[in-house]
Amino acid sequence: MVAAVPLKEHLRAQVRRIDEELERLAPAETTPPEVIHRAMRYSLFAGGKRIRPVLCLEAARAVAGEDPEGVYAVAGSLEMIHTYSLIHDDLPALDNDDLRRGRPTNHKVFGEAMAILAGDALLTLAFEVLGRIGNARLVAELASASGTVGGMIGGQVHDLEGEKAEPTAELLERIHRAKTGALLRASVRLGAIHAGADEAELEALSRYGEHIGLAFQIVDDVLDVEQSSEALGKTAGKDAQQNKVTFPAVYGLERSKEMAGGERRRAHEALERFGERGQRLRELADLIVERRS
Amino acid sequence: MVAAVPLKEHLRAQVRRIDEELERLAPAETTPPEVIHRAMRYSLFAGGKRIRPVLCLEAARAVAGEDPEGVYAVAGSLEMIHTYSLIHDDLPALDNDDLRRGRPTNHKVFGEAMAILAGDALLTLAFEVLGRIGNARLVAELASASGTVGGMIGGQVHDLEGEKAEPTAELLERIHRAKTGALLRASVRLGAIHAGADEAELEALSRYGEHIGLAFQIVDDVLDVEQSSEALGKTAGKDAQQNKVTFPAVYGLERSKEMAGGERRRAHEALERFGERGQRLRELADLIVERRS
């Protein structure tokens, strides 16, 4: 039962189904107060690659061999958390970015007040969705991965603080393990937990999630140096400009690329027990390392 | 088993226990990244009256006759949501307030970036706490009450939009039912659900929550007109200055006070089935209407 459908085609179909689910979960633009629902949807449907939901779906399939009921809602909650973090990150007080995925950032369109509230609302909606699914463990997992202690917000704070600090290997790892790694790892874990993974499966998929999380961030940092703003759909070169602690800043470009390759290899190794069922996750690890934007 | 202890004394003891629980739930100031934990705690321990946690506790007691295990954590999650909403509300892009409970607002002390993230973190932590308790229904209830459709964020948006609109009775009710009413109602409901309330008990306590919620907001609006900034511990007269839709603006001061009294009476009526066990909730309804700050 391998992947007869090529990955790109498979992903296009997945993204369509994830978007349908987000469409169902997010309040309509005609629901009062309309403006915040427009603001939430503006960023939620801004052409995101849906990497986190896809990881969640494929982890669930690796465990269960099929789509467990409700797994698309679990996947959607991850995209809501990711989207809220982008909206708040882009605010003038944080990264002050005008461009995201090739379009004006949320606060540029809706104003700062509405962008702050739209972020809050997506964060809140993510937990409402998981609460309705009825498994409190998913809630605790996602909240922990999004929080301050080893989670996404903690990583953002380390990142802000890092702008004032010397870029060291230790600081770099701490930032990225939290800032992007925790949510990518949680994406895999939520799918696995929802599919009823046993401890060994969950442990293996967590390791996979950690390695692709680190690979993802290394590649992100490399692309910020190598690519144009046009190719990225966001302002390139901002890391250096803002004096951020990045992999290229600490290790140089070539060594960074080698490191991303190492993480990919370890991600593949973590999938051994899943055999054919892990094939899509292997392909996703490859895609994360080989992507150009 | 009535309240031998006078309400004020009872509340002081409750606030102490709630603060101990929040102390236990919030990451320590020495946990990295330290600065965000300092920022979260600065607002969490800023002398709040803990009205929402107290309502939660007393609703649980009205149902169960004792403190169900874990009810203090449920109560704590409500204070976290309330605190996050104050931090974000005070931001320059929203109400732009420098003073809260007699102290500089969060962003005045920690800067806007950290205040945004500290709010996000308290919102996230509230759901982590409920997730760990293990009842997904509590999560869905709190998220819904905090969200955009009839919930707190929806009320804030209506409020922001209301600054541009004619103050009408209909707009006023919609704003306040959502902005403060939903979370106060949820405070009562979460306590009741956690205590295992049946449908009739939950319905009665929900009505109680709605009436005290409306009473609370009417009194808040009246105090903003009548009291000094010093007495309130926040900037008084801001509603009129910002052209907010308030009860005094729509009904005048005297009629507003009568309305608060009517809500109190209906709150008492909703408690009939609880007999003596509802006594503290009755006293709280009185306190909400009679408070001077």
Side-chain angles (χ1 to χ4, degrees):
Chain A
M1 57 151 284
V2 147
V5 182
L7 182 66
K8 295 263 158 148
E9 199 177 313
H10 174 69
L11 286 179
R12 266 196 302 275
Q14 291 301 293
V15 167
R16 241 188 338 263
R17 285 202 54 188
I18 292 160
D19 284 2
E20 282 168 18
E21 181 71 12
L22 289 171
E23 181 61 51
R24 192 180 72 80
L25 294 171
E29 296 201 348
T30 52
T31 301
E34 293 86 349
V35 58
I36 191 150
H37 299 137
R38 281 204 305 278
M40 290 162 76
R41 283 168 167 269
Y42 176 81
S43 293
L44 203 50
F45 298 106
K49 293 185 287 284
R50 313 301 190 205
I51 292 169
R52 291 155 194 82
V54 165
L55 285 169
C56 171
L57 294 170
E58 298 301 347
R61 289 167 189 155
V63 170
E66 59 177 9
D67 286 352
E69 196 183 327
V71 72
Y72 278 89
V74 178
S77 76
L78 290 155
E79 191 68 12
M80 290 174 190
I81 293 284
H82 176 57
T83 304
Y84 118 73
S85 80
L86 298 182
I87 295 174
H88 281 190
D89 257 4
D90 286 338
L91 286 167
L94 285 113
D95 283 353
N96 192 24
D97 223 320
D98 296 348
L99 198 62
R100 165 75 65 186
R101 292 167 182 161
R103 303 198 312 166
T105 45
N106 198 289
H107 64 273
K108 287 307 232 182
V109 178
F110 296 95
E112 271 185 68
M114 205 53 64
I116 292 167
L117 293 175
D120 293 345
L122 285 166
L123 171 50
T124 304
L125 184 59
F127 290 111
E128 183 171 351
V129 167
L130 290 185
R132 293 201 190 287
I133 289 171
N135 184 348
R137 185 174 175 197
L138 297 178
V139 173
E141 284 270 343
L142 182 59
S144 171
S146 307
T148 60
V149 182
M152 188 177 68
I153 298 173
Q156 288 170 308
V157 176
H158 278 307
D159 202 10
L160 287 171
E161 299 283 291
E163 291 173 25
K164 303 168 206 155
E166 276 300 296
T168 65
E170 191 266 336
L171 177 64
L172 183 66
E173 178 164 340
R174 196 170 51 187
I175 289 177
H176 291 316
R177 194 171 287 280
K179 193 184 174 197
T180 50
L183 192 59
L184 289 164
R185 179 171 175 273
S187 301
V188 175
R189 283 178 63 87
L190 261 70
I193 292 168
H194 186 68
D198 64 27
E199 274 313 303
E201 288 169 331
L202 188 56
E203 189 275 328
L205 286 170
S206 298
R207 267 190 296 126
Y208 167 82
E210 281 165 29
H211 293 305
I212 57 151
L214 202 50
F216 187 89
Q217 188 59 52
I218 297 170
V219 172
D220 233 37
D221 287 357
V222 167
L223 290 174
D224 186 76
V225 176
E226 289 196 328
Q227 295 286 61
S228 66
S229 297
E230 200 185 350
L232 291 180
K234 62 183 177 184
T235 313
K238 283 213 71 149
D239 291 345
Q241 198 185 311
Q242 297 185 335
N243 202 24
K244 295 245 162 146
V245 184
T246 66
F247 285 89
V250 173
Y251 296 102
L253 270 175
E254 285 317 305
R255 178 83 189 94
S256 296
K257 291 179 194 177
E258 285 167 26
M259 288 169 72
E263 295 304 325
R264 178 209 334 221
R265 199 183 60 249
R266 283 183 283 277
H268 278 237
E269 285 164 8
L271 295 172
E272 269 164 22
R273 72 163 49 235
F274 295 97
E276 281 305 324
R277 279 195 184 169
Q279 186 54 27
R280 286 297 188 204
L281 290 174
R282 283 182 202 96
E283 292 173 6
L284 287 170
D286 297 341
L287 185 69
I288 282 169
V289 173
E290 289 162 12
R291 72 201 163 101
R292 303 307 299 157
S293 71
Chain B
M1 54 150 287
V2 149
V5 182
L7 182 66
K8 295 262 158 150
E9 199 177 313
H10 174 70
L11 286 179
R12 265 196 301 277
Q14 292 301 293
V15 168
R16 238 185 344 261
R17 285 203 54 189
I18 292 160
D19 284 3
E20 281 167 19
E21 182 72 12
L22 289 171
E23 180 62 49
R24 191 180 71 79
L25 294 171
E29 296 201 349
T30 51
T31 301
E34 293 86 350
V35 58
I36 191 149
H37 299 137
R38 282 204 306 277
M40 291 163 75
R41 284 169 166 268
Y42 176 82
S43 293
L44 202 51
F45 298 107
K49 295 186 285 285
R50 313 300 191 206
I51 292 170
R52 291 154 194 82
V54 165
L55 285 168
C56 172
L57 293 171
E58 298 301 346
R61 289 167 189 155
V63 170
E66 59 177 9
D67 286 352
E69 195 183 327
V71 72
Y72 278 90
V74 178
S77 76
L78 290 155
E79 190 69 11
M80 289 174 191
I81 293 285
H82 176 57
T83 305
Y84 119 73
S85 79
L86 298 182
I87 295 174
H88 282 190
D89 258 3
D90 287 337
L91 286 167
L94 286 113
D95 284 354
N96 192 24
D97 224 320
D98 296 349
L99 198 63
R100 166 74 67 185
R101 292 168 182 160
R103 304 198 312 167
T105 44
N106 198 289
H107 64 272
K108 286 305 221 183
V109 179
F110 296 95
E112 271 186 69
M114 205 53 64
I116 292 167
L117 294 175
D120 293 345
L122 284 166
L123 171 51
T124 304
L125 185 58
F127 290 111
E128 184 171 352
V129 167
L130 290 184
R132 293 201 190 285
I133 288 170
N135 183 348
R137 185 174 174 194
L138 299 178
V139 173
E141 284 270 343
L142 181 59
S144 171
S146 308
T148 60
V149 182
M152 187 177 69
I153 297 173
Q156 288 170 307
V157 175
H158 279 307
D159 202 10
L160 286 171
E161 299 283 290
E163 291 173 26
K164 303 168 207 157
E166 276 301 294
T168 66
E170 193 265 334
L171 178 64
L172 183 66
E173 177 164 341
R174 196 170 50 188
I175 289 176
H176 291 316
R177 197 171 285 280
K179 193 184 174 197
T180 50
L183 192 58
L184 289 164
R185 179 171 175 273
S187 301
V188 175
R189 282 177 64 86
L190 262 68
I193 292 167
H194 186 68
D198 64 28
E199 274 312 302
E201 288 170 329
L202 188 56
E203 189 277 327
L205 287 170
S206 299
R207 267 192 296 126
Y208 167 82
E210 280 164 30
H211 294 304
I212 57 151
L214 204 49
F216 186 89
Q217 188 60 50
I218 297 171
V219 173
D220 233 38
D221 287 357
V222 168
L223 290 174
D224 186 76
V225 177
E226 290 195 329
Q227 295 286 61
S228 66
S229 296
E230 200 185 351
L232 290 180
K234 62 183 176 184
T235 313
K238 282 213 71 149
D239 291 344
Q241 196 185 311
Q242 296 186 336
N243 202 26
K244 294 245 162 148
V245 184
T246 67
F247 284 91
V250 173
Y251 295 102
L253 270 175
E254 285 317 305
R255 179 83 190 96
S256 295
K257 291 180 194 176
E258 285 167 26
M259 288 169 71
E263 295 303 325
R264 179 211 330 226
R265 200 183 62 247
R266 283 184 283 278
H268 278 237
E269 285 165 8
L271 295 173
E272 269 164 21
R273 72 164 49 235
F274 295 98
E276 282 305 324
R277 279 195 184 170
Q279 187 53 27
R280 287 296 189 204
L281 290 174
R282 283 182 202 96
E283 292 173 6
L284 287 171
D286 297 341
L287 184 70
I288 281 169
V289 173
E290 290 162 12
R291 74 201 161 99
R292 303 306 299 156
S293 72

